[in-house]
Each structure stands twice: as C-alpha cells, then as structure tokens.
Amino acid sequence: MTDRIMLLDTASLYFRAFYGVPDKVRAADGTSVNAVRGLLDMIAKLVTAYEPTRLVACWDDDWRPAWRVDLLPSYKAHRVVEAVPAGTDIEEVPDPLEAQIPVIRDVLAALGIPVVGAAEHEADDVIGALATAADSPVDIVTGDRDLFQLIDDARGIRIVYTARGMSNLETVDDAAVVSKYGVRAAQYADFAVLRGDPSDGLPGVAGIGEKSAASLLSAHGSLDGIRAAAAQGTGGTPAQRAKIAAASDYLDVAPAVVRVARDLTFAPFDDRLGDVDIDAAEALAEKWNLGSSMTRVLAALAR
C-alpha cells in the first residue's frame, strides 16, 4: 500500500458530529455520546474510503492564540464566552459536547491515533506544519476553507472537504480551487484576507468581494503585488485602489493571522495505523455505550 498520511482537523469533525448525529443513545450515566459515536463513524468511513497508512488527530491547544488576537482583535471574538487574561479565552461550546471531549481523547488513545497539538497554536497550524514536513502524500480532513492554502498537487497534498456532510465528501485539489474561486490554492490565503470571513471575525477589505479579489490576484499574483500596484496607481480600478489604501492597517496584519504555521516542531509520535489497544477500546465502548460505532472503527483500522 502506498504510504499516505491523513490529518484530521479534529474539532471541526467532532463539532460536526455533535450537531449532525441525533442525541438518542447515551451512556449509562446519562452522558451524551453523539459526538464520540459520530467521530468514530467518521474515522471508520475516512480510513475505509481513503486508505491512509498514517493518521493524526490534530488538536487545538489554543483555539484563539493571543498573538493572532494581538494582530487582529476581532479574530474569533464572537465565539468567546469568557476572556481569560494571560490565558486561553474560553470558547462557546455546548455543555453536552464539552463533557464528551475527554472521552474523545481517551478513545483516540485506545485506537492508537496520536493527538497532536502545539502551545499557542491552533489545529490548523499543526496541520500546516505536519503537511509541510510530510514525506508522503497527505489528505487533510476539514470543513475549514482556510486550509485550502495548503493544497499542493506536486506533493500530493489535498483536502477532504466535509462542509457538505460525510455523505458528500469532496476531494479538493488545485484545479477545484481554481474552478470555484478563480485563484490558485497558493493564493488562497491572500484571497481570504481580501474577501474576509465573518466566521473567523475577519473583516476583509470593504467593497472587495470574491470576484474582485480573484480578479486582482489574477492580475498581480499576490497581495503584496496588489498593494504595490495600487500604490503606483496601476492596480485595479481607481475605486479598488482607494479601498486597498483605506484598508492598509488591516492588510499589514491580516496575512499573518490567516496564514497557517508551517515550521512547528513536535515531540516524536507514532502515527502508523494498527497499534490499537483492543481491551481499552472495548472497555471504553462498554462504559460509554459506543456500540456499533466502535465496532466499525476497529474493523476499519484492522484492514
């Protein structure tokens, strides 16, 4: 089997599982387990369909890093339920999901799937660093478009995109990004800066939408090229140049917020499939009433 690593944007998946899987089956103590069961079913499907030889659950050690907030205070601000001075702000997470996160970590450990995070960084950054350092093709599983910036056809780095649900997975390569947005994957971070993204508190450049952003990037190659041309009075229309100039302070900082880290280092970990602790997995399945979801993922990992 060809070596292939799969990187899971874990929070993206367990949030999707929590909201997508009915809360009908619970543990004996009444704890909801829909996110746990849903995540296990997702992993079983992904491993069966894409046949990775290595698998990593990438983790948000810090979902809203202070260094990003210092650059752009609006970054994910709408998701904060409690600010923590000199610490990690508390994200809005429903209590029934919050209670399942430790169970998810225990289950991943029993399945031999390493959970990898980095201090003061998000899972996106972990994914960026691992994909950049990978010596084999990479499948990145996420519902986050920002990770399109990592797509690299030459190195076999692609996105398994979950935004339309697990029954409608999309494999996104550079051609797919060009077809949908009119920019190359390598330009996607600059495209996102220009367009903005309300879900991340990224305002974008007022008056510059997707079509304008794509047109400007097509003409000038990068955000730096757009700004240089605008400053010289040659980039875009006079109105677009005025909008770029008015957003100068934002454009000074936003690229560092949007671009994922690529140079993080990690303690050694084993991401090869197959190191499953069957006894621990079965005990967790019994304790948390994981039933057929655990059966399916064990079968998938045993292939």
Side-chain angles (χ1 to χ4, degrees):
M1 183 182 293
T2 303
D3 203 25
R4 175 174 290 278
I5 184 170
M6 177 172 280
L7 305 176
L8 305 179
D9 183 0
T10 315
S12 169
L13 296 181
Y14 66 61
F15 267 94
R16 177 168 294 278
F18 176 76
Y19 287 109
V21 177
D23 188 15
K24 294 179 179 179
V25 179
R26 298 194 174 197
D29 66 357
T31 299
S32 297
V33 291
N34 58 332
V36 186
R37 292 175 66 105
L39 180 62
L40 292 178
D41 286 338
M42 290 176 178
I43 293 172
K45 178 169 183 174
L46 291 162
V47 169
T48 300
Y50 295 93
E51 298 185 327
T53 56
R54 297 151 62 188
L55 182 62
V56 181
C58 301
W59 204 262
D60 284 319
D61 276 12
D62 190 336
W63 70 279
R64 188 175 184 249
W67 59 270
R68 281 193 166 106
V69 177
D70 289 344
L71 290 170
L72 191 66
S74 64
Y75 182 64
K76 295 186 178 180
H78 59 294
R79 303 189 207 173
V80 177
V81 293
E82 182 181 343
V84 179
T88 301
D89 291 336
I90 297 175
E91 184 179 13
E92 183 177 9
V93 179
D95 289 343
L97 174 55
E98 187 77 35
Q100 295 180 67
I101 293 174
V103 182
I104 287 170
R105 292 194 65 125
D106 288 345
V107 167
L108 292 172
L111 296 176
I113 301 172
V115 172
V116 179
E120 300 179 347
H121 286 84
E122 302 171 55
D124 286 7
D125 300 308
V126 176
I127 290 169
L130 292 176
T132 299
D135 56 4
S136 62
V138 179
D139 286 334
I140 298 167
V141 184
T142 185
D144 186 352
R145 294 180 299 175
D146 285 344
L147 289 173
F148 288 177
Q149 66 186 275
L150 294 172
I151 292 170
D152 186 335
D153 288 359
R155 296 187 56 222
I157 301 174
R158 61 188 185 179
I159 300 290
V160 178
Y161 194 47
T162 63
R164 295 175 58 199
M166 293 301 293
S167 298
N168 295 286
L169 294 172
E170 299 175 68
T171 302
V172 182
D173 59 8
D174 196 60
V177 176
V178 171
S179 176
K180 184 167 180 61
Y181 299 105
V183 299
R184 291 176 287 107
Q187 297 172 305
Y188 192 85
D190 286 349
F191 175 74
V193 168
L194 289 164
R195 177 202 61 202
D197 187 347
S199 69
D200 280 341
L202 199 69
V205 176
I208 300 292
E210 288 195 354
K211 290 184 178 180
S212 296
S215 177
L216 289 167
L217 285 167
S218 178
H220 304 289
S222 67
L223 180 57
D224 288 342
I226 292 168
R227 297 186 74 185
Q232 295 166 5
T234 59
T237 66
Q240 288 173 334
R241 293 196 293 271
K243 291 167 184 173
I244 295 295
S248 179
D249 290 346
Y250 163 74
L251 292 174
D252 285 342
V253 299
V257 174
V258 173
R259 291 171 188 154
V260 300
R262 294 174 181 258
D263 58 354
L264 303 177
T265 57
F266 307 95
F269 59 87
D270 184 2
D271 59 4
R272 294 277 170 181
L273 293 185
D275 187 20
V276 178
D277 186 335
I278 295 293
D279 290 341
E282 291 180 347
L284 287 166
E286 176 69 21
K287 178 178 180 179
W288 298 109
N289 194 17
L290 303 179
S292 58
S293 295
M294 181 64 82
T295 301
R296 281 190 286 270
V297 78
L298 288 174
L301 293 173
R303 289 171 180 262

